[in-house]
Structure formats: structure tokens, C-alpha cells
Amino acid sequence: MNLYLSPELQATRRGRFLASLLAISPSSEQTFPKEGFVLMAGEQLQASPELQAEGIAWSRQPGCTLLLLPPYKEGSIFPSLDWVVELTSQPMTCATQASLEMILAGELSHQLQGSDDDGISDSSLNPSVSG
């Protein structure tokens, strides 16, 4: 699967670092590629209802994955989704032994809060590493 950075992320120091680390070729495309794995700042997606609609439609296609990286704005990720981004003051850890989760716990700045299809709340899904 090909990796892509959004043009806005490519223009940042973090984007250039990710591009060199992951050997991502710069792309001049202003839209989503036909297929692939796109990395984008969560804040960028949250700020544009048009981009949200395009991103949701694109990511529903086979072979299309959208990964949102910090920074995020606190609040709703998408108006049609019950998941929200919250700042975390205390790292959430479930592991009791030394693990990657324990090592990175001090780096967490956000958590996702939402519920699954059964209405069960879960705030431990996909915590993000601060940037």
C-alpha cells in the first residue's frame, strides 16, 4: 500500500520528517489518491466539512485508509460520529507490565471518547502520541 501525506502536512516540519522516515514521495495531489494510506492532521480534517465528507467517502472504499495525526481540536471529530477528542491530564494505561503502552504513557496528550454500536462507552481506544 502506498503512503501519502496531505499537502498541508507535507508543508510542516513534522510532515517532512515523516516523509523522510517512511520514504514517502512528495505528492502534488490536492485530492485523495485512488487508493493508499493517507496521513493527515486531525485539526485539518475537523476544520473543513467538505474535507470531512470527502475523507469519509474516500476511506469507505477498499484499499483506502485515513490516519489522523495530532494536533486535534477538542470536540467532535465528525458531526455524524459520536466520537470526540479530549485532552488528557492523566495518561490512561491498562498494562501492568512493562510494555510499549507504559513506555509511551507520558507522551499522550489526547484521547478518543465514544461508544460502540451497543452504546458501550470506551475511552481507551487509539490514544494519540503528542506531537
Side-chain angles (χ1 to χ4, degrees), residues 6 8-9 14 38-48 51-52 66-78 85 110 112 128:
S6 69
E8 293 77 9
L9 186 57
R14 170 193 261 171
V38 174
L39 286 77
M40 177 185 289
E43 203 172 53
Q44 175 190 351
L45 189 72
Q46 288 175 296
S48 170
L51 187 58
Q52 289 175 16
L66 180 61
L67 175 64
L68 301 178
L69 303 173
Y72 303 103
K73 290 189 307 186
E74 276 193 280
S76 177
I77 298 173
F78 302 112
V85 174
H110 295 86
L112 297 180
S128 63

Side-chain angles (χ1 to χ4, degrees), residues 18-117:
L18 287 170
S20 67
L21 181 69
L22 301 173
I24 300 172
S25 300
S27 171
S28 60
E29 291 187 40
Q30 293 297 319
T31 60
F32 289 97
K34 184 176 178 179
E35 62 180 22
F37 196 101
V38 174
L39 286 77
M40 177 185 289
E43 203 172 53
Q44 175 190 351
L45 189 72
Q46 288 175 296
S48 170
E50 295 82 20
L51 187 58
Q52 289 175 16
E54 185 181 353
I56 290 170
W58 177 81
S59 64
R60 287 184 175 154
Q61 299 175 54
C64 300
T65 303
L66 180 61
L67 175 64
L68 301 178
L69 303 173
Y72 303 103
K73 290 189 307 186
E74 276 193 280
S76 177
I77 298 173
F78 302 112
S80 61
L81 187 63
D82 68 345
W83 289 88
V84 295
V85 174
E86 299 175 337
L87 290 175
T88 182
S89 57
Q90 299 253 334
M92 296 176 54
T93 58
C94 299
T96 55
Q97 302 176 21
S99 66
L100 183 59
E101 181 182 1
M102 293 292 287
I103 293 168
L104 296 176
E107 299 293 322
L108 298 178
S109 63
H110 295 86
Q111 67 182 7
L112 297 180
Q113 182 89 326
S115 61
D116 64 15
D117 290 338

